[in-house]
Amino acid sequence: HVKEVTIAEFNAAPDSKTDYYKVTGVITTIDNPTYGNLHMAADGAELYVYGCYPGYGASGDNRKNFLNAAGIKVGDSLTMIGYKDTYNGTIELCGGIYFSHASSEPIIYD
């Protein structure tokens, strides 16, 4: 079961490795493009994503460099599925499964 929530609702939820949430925001920074560690925001709330992976169960090298392969960059709208945890006081979306994204750049047709 996956519950669709805002970033603010995600941040207010209790930590749980069994409750999964679907969250959408605009990418504000990418800290580690290899593993997809990034920050995203929506409606004045911010969230740290500890890894954006191409699908459920991705492991090893299959988890690496997904952002570049998918063309995901700062300014794009990103939808992820994951669980909530807190590490050293930072709320994190963990086990991050890519759901979809929309580019911040317009599509130009010739």
Side-chain angles (χ1 to χ4, degrees), residues 3-15 20-29 38-50 76-86 90-94:
K3 182 177 181 181
E4 189 168 356
V5 296
T6 65
I7 290 176
E9 291 168 331
F10 180 87
N11 289 341
D15 289 1
Y20 279 78
Y21 299 93
K22 181 177 168 185
V23 182
T24 300
V26 174
I27 300 171
T28 57
T29 59
L38 57 91
H39 295 263
M40 62 185 197
D43 300 321
E46 297 182 2
L47 176 61
Y48 180 67
V49 175
Y50 186 65
D76 289 356
S77 176
L78 178 66
T79 300
M80 307 252 334
I81 295 171
Y83 63 87
K84 182 187 175 217
D85 203 2
T86 304
T90 299
I91 294 171
E92 298 178 341
L93 183 140
C94 297

Side-chain angles (χ1 to χ4, degrees), residues 36-81:
N37 299 353
L38 57 91
H39 295 263
M40 62 185 197
D43 300 321
E46 297 182 2
L47 176 61
Y48 180 67
V49 175
Y50 186 65
C52 177
Y53 305 129
Y56 179 77
S59 61
D61 286 343
N62 292 324
R63 298 184 335 171
K64 295 180 180 178
N65 302 308
F66 174 67
L67 295 181
N68 288 334
I72 299 169
K73 62 198 166 312
V74 170
D76 289 356
S77 176
L78 178 66
T79 300
M80 307 252 334
I81 295 171

